[in-house]
Amino acid sequence: MKYIVQLALVFCIFIFNPTFATEMHEAIANGKQEYIDSCSICHGTSATGDGEFATMLTIPVADLTTLKQNNDGKFPFYEVYLTIDGRDQIRSHQLMNMPMWGDRFSTVISRSANPKYADTYVRGKIFEIMLYLQSIQK
């Protein structure tokens, strides 16, 4: 629940900001770059599940361009956030088939900046990836 409130707050900051369009465009561009750097190896540059490693995995890789289509026309923000982050997933309910990017992003920022801000950095990275994924929905 705390993630929903935090994501809503970030979204409100974007909406009520006079430079909203420019910043949204930049956030989506940052999300695309992070997607390419972190996700495309499995999900492919097209995000359809055709990445380099996709054929080596035993579980099919998700087509990320159909998330909205597969959820009654609504982009599943919360579920996508939890899946990308991975730190709060209930391990007994499902196999963790992808890396826990929350941990990886947190480790990266902790090496170069104050670890106190790692969680904020992680949420921002994930939010940018989510904005990019929302922008490429069929």
Side-chain angles (χ1 to χ4, degrees), residues 63-81:
D63 178 345
L64 301 177
T65 65
T66 60
L67 297 171
K68 185 176 174 181
Q69 181 181 329
N70 295 337
N71 286 281
D72 300 321
K74 296 177 184 165
F75 187 78
F77 271 97
Y78 186 64
E79 292 82 3
V80 171
Y81 179 89

Side-chain angles (χ1 to χ4, degrees), residues 101-117:
W101 290 106
D103 279 345
R104 290 181 184 207
F105 293 149
S106 182
T107 300
V108 169
I109 193 61
S110 294
R111 289 185 203 140
S112 60
N114 187 333
K116 176 171 126 180
Y117 303 111

Side-chain angles (χ1 to χ4, degrees), residues 28-55:
I28 291 170
N30 291 341
K32 179 179 182 178
Q33 188 58 55
E34 190 60 52
Y35 170 85
I36 289 167
D37 294 344
S38 302
C39 311
S40 67
I41 192 79
C42 293
H43 293 281
T45 55
S46 65
T48 57
D50 61 349
E52 251 180 86
F53 283 6
T55 58

